Amino acid sequence: MGYDFFDELSNTITRTSKDLSKRAGQIYEAQKIRNRLAGEEHMVEKLKADMGNLLYQRYKDGGEIDEELKVICEEIDQHMQIIAGYRDAAAEIKGRKICPACEKAVDRSVSFCPYCGAPCPTPEPEKAEGEVVDTEGNPCDCGSDEPAEEAGEPETAGEEAVSEETEQPAETAADESVEQEIPKPVEEEVKSE
């Protein structure tokens, strides 16, 4: 009786291990097929991307492309300009500039790119909106070479009041936008909890 029990147990273990081995082989084969499938799908996506890059390059070179593709290429150009603006802003924060040829960040003081050797002009600092630039020492644009006080055109009190009234809403709007952008200090957040 004990002998039959152990024989039956041994046969059950053998069948189970053969079943598990067979299932493991099936799982392994299925995984190999899935990996090959994923590799082929990846290759198709890469070829599609290469085809798109060729079409975009043809568009940039001025070649003939369909109108639908031209619209997509124009949209790509818009996004590329936005990306360039973001790169310039990031480089500006770090005190660097972007090489126009290889698009790598280089030190602001260099005249030539250390990576590709292309000339790297230093971008002109942008003037903030509303900032008045004094041209040749003449603060007014009245056509006279003399400053406003010397030209015999003193400002009247009414003109000062009007200019203050027109400037005040712009300053208030600017102050409100700055306040909205500034995050709360950490201390205030802790106190509110």
Side-chain angles (χ1 to χ4, degrees):
M1 180 166 173
Y3 181 73
D4 290 336
F5 172 74
F6 285 112
D7 278 343
E8 190 62 35
L9 179 63
S10 174
N11 290 338
T12 305
I13 290 173
T14 304
R15 279 192 312 260
T16 305
S17 63
K18 285 181 181 179
D19 272 352
L20 289 175
S21 174
K22 184 178 176 182
R23 287 183 188 166
Q26 290 172 344
I27 291 171
Y28 176 72
E29 289 300 319
Q31 186 61 40
K32 278 178 35 178
I33 291 171
R34 282 194 293 264
N35 287 345
R36 289 178 184 157
L37 176 67
E40 291 300 319
E41 288 173 342
H42 177 71
M43 184 56 72
V44 168
E45 291 300 318
K46 183 185 178 306
L47 291 171
K48 285 181 181 179
D50 289 345
M51 181 173 42
N53 288 335
L54 288 173
L55 285 171
Y56 181 70
Q57 190 61 42
R58 185 179 298 161
Y59 163 77
K60 293 297 280 184
D61 293 340
E64 288 289 322
I65 60 172
D66 293 341
E67 193 62 34
E68 294 170 334
L69 296 174
K70 187 175 183 179
V71 170
I72 293 172
C73 289
E74 289 170 352
E75 189 174 336
I76 290 172
D77 281 345
Q78 291 172 354
H79 288 288
M80 295 297 277
Q81 289 173 350
I82 293 169
I83 289 169
Y86 288 149
R87 283 187 181 144
D88 288 342
E92 182 73 28
I93 289 172
K94 294 179 181 179
R96 300 174 70 82
K97 61 184 174 182
I98 301 295
C99 170
C102 66
E103 297 182 353
K104 290 187 179 183
V106 296
D107 190 51
R108 181 174 277 299
S109 63
V110 300
S111 298
F112 294 93
C113 177
Y115 302 104
C116 69
C120 293
T122 302
E124 294 293 322
E126 295 180 12
K127 301 292 181 190
E129 286 185 27
E131 186 176 322
V132 179
V133 179
D134 184 16
T135 58
E136 299 180 21
N138 188 358
C140 72
D141 191 21
C142 58
S144 171
D145 289 337
E146 299 177 15
E149 297 90 31
E150 294 176 14
E153 300 175 16
E155 286 190 26
T156 61
E159 288 177 344
E160 288 177 7
V162 171
S163 66
E164 286 177 10
E165 287 175 9
T166 56
E167 290 176 6
Q168 186 177 12
E171 290 173 359
T172 305
D175 291 342
E176 290 173 359
S177 67
V178 169
E179 290 175 2
Q180 291 173 355
E181 293 177 17
I182 299 174
K184 287 182 177 180
V186 176
E187 297 171 2
E188 289 180 19
E189 292 177 11
V190 173
K191 289 178 184 177
S192 63
E193 293 176 0

